[in-house]
Amino acid sequence: MAKQKAVFFCLITMSLMMLISSSSFFLSPYLTKKIMQGEANHKQFNFALQRNNTAALALEINKHREGSSQWLFFKMALAHQQAQTAYELATWYGNQYLNVIAEQRLSSKYLQEAKKWYQQAIRLGSEIAKVSFARLYQQQGRLNLARSQLSQVNSSAGLDIELGSLLVSIDLALETGNIKLVESLIVQKIPLLLLTPEGRKLLADIQRYKTLNVGSHVSEKVANLFTSVATPTMARSLLQPPNTSCTTSLQLFASSLANLKHLDALIEQFISTPLASFVCLPPPRYVARQSLSCHNNKKSALLCDESTWRELAATITTRHIGYMSNEGGANVHFGILYFDRHDSLDIFTHELSHLLGFIDEYPLSINHSTCQQTQTSTFSHNISVLARNYQGRQADIRRQILQELPWSNAIKPSTPILHQRDHNSDNWLLGTPKSHQHEVGVFAAQSCKKSKVAKANNFSAFKATAQSTHLEYSVEQLSLLYLQQLNLAPEKFLMPSFHYNIALALYQQGEEEQALYWLEQAKLW
């Protein structure tokens, strides 16, 4: 009897579950219709939301600020059901990753979420997600994974998919320096490129950044193609001679269309900075990343085999050159500026100031050449490396020191630059006292703080102002005093032309005859 009751109870339970499931099945379309028509009441809407009804989730997402915890919660719930929402969520996380890439913990989290939701969108049948996933891998520098992801795209799925796949394919070919593949893809897909705004923009970019003029002999067919589709924008984009009114000129290079566009935006921002009148920046240009043999490392200064620039030197009409990589520490090495795509305008202008003859005011490396001995002559606009202690008549010592300071013209006769080491003696310490810290004087700089040689021999780096400057913290504004000093002698401390870098690299590689040739080229500047 007990066994029969148990069987009966199970049958009743199963029937109820089927009834609930059946009623839910019919309830969802009903609720969806009510919600879409705006006729659902508060209880009905909340019930639908609890059951992850797609219409209710879509409405709820729109109620919350993009990126908020509520927006993400409901977006994720809908992304489990809709390919487009999963794709949108992945794209949002991908953008966050690019914005915070310098913050390793956050960027890693965003990157993992982006990959997770791209994979979900692909599982739900999204072809555009495959294209965007390939682009994300490319932005990471994982080019093989990008190609692998791109090979899975069904290009016949639609015009947008075909075009998106083509754009990523061309950018991947550019990053690896495969110019012949770029030419081939353009020739094969020219109708698609000409018929779409994105395609025409790509052709204009390729012309603007001279991507097909570098390291290859462009086929006659491609050359004629660009001549036939040339636009006023393309014509204006041709490299112009540098403006001779500038103190120096800087040709910037990058190895992908995304980075070249980033350089364009950076140049646009730079125009409004105080240094813009000193540095002319022509349109950025393409260079194949593989041709430079660079050592990219987030934790160390970016450097390349600088002898390779001789292949392009004849096409460069500027004194200095710069290369923006995907990653690597920003620095200036003689006539070449290095930085990466995550560096801000502040960092860019900080590095530019080195080309113009300014020295860092934060602690330099322990063996930096600047801090191995006291200076034999002035060498920068903002720093002098001098002994700390002096003995003799104050007036004579002051006169001697002023000759060692590039900013001596800005120091008032009433501003002290020495103070007594011992009362009533001829022993003096170099430095303007705190009572005059708001004036131009001689103040200790941090530049040689790490130098053991400087410490052992009692010398130090000194600067003109007691305040923090752009040369110590890049977020600070370049001081008016430094701009005035630059105006007085704009060419005095300029870094040598990039030809000097080529000469040095060749000399270090044992090619002395070639090194001498490039040294002569540097002298022409």
Side-chain angles (χ1 to χ4, degrees):
M1 186 67 179
K3 188 175 181 180
Q4 289 177 333
K5 283 183 178 180
V7 170
F8 179 74
F9 179 76
C10 286
L11 289 171
I12 292 294
T13 303
M14 289 174 66
S15 298
L16 285 171
M17 289 177 68
M18 290 176 65
L19 181 62
I20 291 171
S21 176
S22 176
S23 67
S24 298
F25 175 78
F26 289 108
L27 186 61
S28 184
Y30 168 76
L31 273 179
T32 299
K33 184 178 179 182
K34 295 274 284 183
I35 291 166
M36 293 181 71
Q37 291 176 346
E39 297 174 356
N41 59 38
H42 184 69
K43 286 186 177 180
Q44 288 173 322
F45 184 83
N46 282 342
F47 179 74
L49 205 57
Q50 290 167 10
R51 302 193 69 79
N52 286 337
N53 177 278
T54 56
L57 287 170
L59 279 176
E60 189 65 21
I61 289 167
N62 291 332
K63 292 179 182 178
H64 301 286
R65 178 179 54 82
E66 182 179 300
S68 66
S69 57
Q70 298 98 322
W71 183 86
L72 286 170
F73 177 83
F74 292 110
K75 195 82 170 174
M76 287 178 186
L78 189 55
H80 282 292
Q81 305 174 60
Q82 288 187 348
Q84 179 60 27
T85 304
Y87 167 70
E88 291 169 359
L89 190 58
T91 302
W92 184 85
Y93 272 116
N95 290 335
Q96 304 312 303
Y97 160 71
L98 293 175
N99 290 336
V100 301
I101 201 160
E103 301 176 41
Q104 192 169 359
R105 185 183 62 80
L106 262 181
S107 67
S108 177
K109 172 193 168 185
Y110 287 138
L111 181 60
Q112 292 308 313
E113 287 294 323
K115 289 179 178 179
K116 168 184 163 183
W117 293 108
Y118 274 133
Q119 289 165 346
Q120 171 66 5
I122 291 167
R123 279 194 293 270
L124 293 173
S126 172
E127 291 296 322
I128 194 65
K130 295 177 183 177
V131 176
S132 294
F133 202 3
R135 175 70 77 185
L136 181 66
Y137 277 131
Q138 182 213 343
Q139 289 165 337
Q140 285 184 268
R142 305 177 74 178
L143 304 188
N144 289 335
L145 285 175
R147 288 192 203 92
S148 175
Q149 188 63 52
L150 208 58
S151 68
Q152 300 172 38
V153 177
N154 178 10
S155 295
S156 62
L159 189 65
D160 288 346
I161 308 301
E162 183 182 6
L163 179 63
S165 180
L166 174 63
L167 297 180
V168 178
S169 296
I170 288 175
D171 222 359
L172 282 171
L174 287 174
E175 282 219 48
T176 54
N178 194 343
I179 302 300
K180 290 196 178 299
L181 177 57
V182 175
E183 291 181 18
S184 174
L185 289 169
I186 289 172
V187 171
Q188 289 174 34
K189 300 291 185 179
I190 193 61
L192 174 63
L193 293 171
L194 290 176
L195 286 171
T196 58
E198 296 88 348
R200 292 193 293 274
K201 180 67 167 63
L202 173 70
L203 292 176
D205 286 340
I206 285 174
Q207 183 81 341
R208 172 176 175 76
Y209 302 126
K210 296 189 170 295
T211 57
L212 300 185
N213 296 6
V214 180
S216 72
H217 298 289
V218 182
S219 67
E220 186 178 345
K221 186 173 184 180
V222 173
N224 291 338
L225 171 65
F226 274 98
T227 301
S228 66
V229 301
T231 65
T233 301
M234 290 181 183
R236 286 195 302 272
S237 72
L238 297 178
L239 183 64
Q240 299 297 317
N243 185 338
T244 54
S245 66
C246 299
T247 301
T248 189
S249 47
L250 173 67
Q251 178 65 66
L252 293 173
F253 289 87
S255 300
S256 70
L257 289 179
N259 285 358
L260 287 162
K261 290 174 186 177
H262 184 67
L263 282 179
D264 259 336
L266 194 63
I267 291 171
E268 189 68 27
Q269 294 175 58
F270 176 73
I271 290 171
S272 61
T273 68
L275 289 183
S277 60
F278 297 96
V279 184
C280 288
L281 294 171
R285 287 177 55 186
Y286 167 79
V287 63
R289 184 176 59 174
Q290 280 68 16
S291 70
L292 297 181
S293 301
C294 296
H295 305 286
N296 291 26
N297 189 319
K298 291 179 183 177
K299 297 180 180 178
S300 62
L302 171 67
L303 282 176
C304 304
D305 177 0
E306 294 173 342
S307 67
T308 59
W309 286 106
R310 60 180 161 173
E311 304 299 329
L312 288 176
T315 70
I316 299 171
T317 60
T318 59
R319 178 188 181 98
H320 297 130
I321 57 177
Y323 178 62
M324 187 178 79
S325 70
N326 289 344
E327 59 184 27
N331 70 98
V332 165
H333 186 230
F334 295 112
I336 302 181
L337 184 158
Y338 297 100
F339 63 118
D340 72 33
R341 64 185 176 189
H342 309 296
D343 288 329
S344 64
L345 177 65
D346 288 333
I347 292 174
F348 177 63
T349 55
H350 175 99
E351 298 303 328
L352 261 181
S353 69
H354 295 325
L355 290 178
L356 291 167
F358 289 90
I359 297 290
D360 283 321
E361 293 175 4
Y362 57 75
L364 298 171
S365 60
I366 191 169
N367 294 317
H368 198 281
S369 58
T370 299
C371 303
Q372 299 309 298
Q373 62 180 23
T374 57
Q375 67 188 43
T376 55
S377 61
T378 55
F379 63 92
S380 76
H381 293 292
N382 64 312
I383 290 291
S384 284
V385 177
L386 302 168
R388 291 178 177 174
N389 299 331
Y390 296 84
Q391 188 170 20
R393 290 180 65 248
Q394 183 182 17
D396 293 338
I397 297 170
R398 180 185 176 94
R399 189 162 43 251
Q400 172 194 336
I401 290 172
L402 288 177
Q403 292 175 357
E404 301 274 1
L405 304 175
W407 62 88
S408 60
N409 60 294
I411 300 176
K412 295 186 295 187
S414 59
T415 303
I417 63 171
L418 296 159
H419 52 281
Q420 284 182 317
R421 188 176 179 185
D422 305 305
H423 291 295
N424 303 316
S425 75
D426 286 336
N427 293 324
W428 304 93
L429 285 174
L430 181 58
T432 297
K434 288 184 178 180
S435 57
H436 293 72
Q437 64 181 352
H438 296 296
E439 299 177 18
V440 178
V442 181
F443 300 92
Q446 297 291 311
S447 307
C448 296
K449 185 178 180 180
K450 291 182 179 179
S451 171
K452 293 181 180 178
V453 177
K455 191 175 292 184
N457 292 278
N458 205 24
F459 65 84
S460 182
F462 294 90
K463 58 178 183 171
T465 174
Q467 281 68 50
S468 297
T469 75
H470 188 63
L471 277 301
E472 185 173 5
Y473 302 106
S474 59
V475 292
E476 298 279 356
Q477 295 293 315
L478 193 64
S479 72
L480 181 60
L481 170 64
Y482 287 2
L483 289 170
Q484 290 169 343
Q485 291 303 119
L486 185 57
N487 262 314
L488 287 173
E491 297 181 3
K492 187 172 183 179
F493 302 115
L494 270 179
M495 284 290 183
S497 79
F498 74 92
H499 306 85
Y500 179 83
N501 294 65
I502 299 174
L504 180 61
L506 289 170
Y507 177 77
Q508 291 171 338
Q509 293 168 17
E511 297 186 45
E512 293 185 13
E513 189 174 336
Q514 278 291 301
L516 287 172
Y517 168 78
W518 287 104
L519 194 58
E520 290 301 316
Q521 297 304 303
K523 287 179 181 178
L524 296 177
W525 287 88

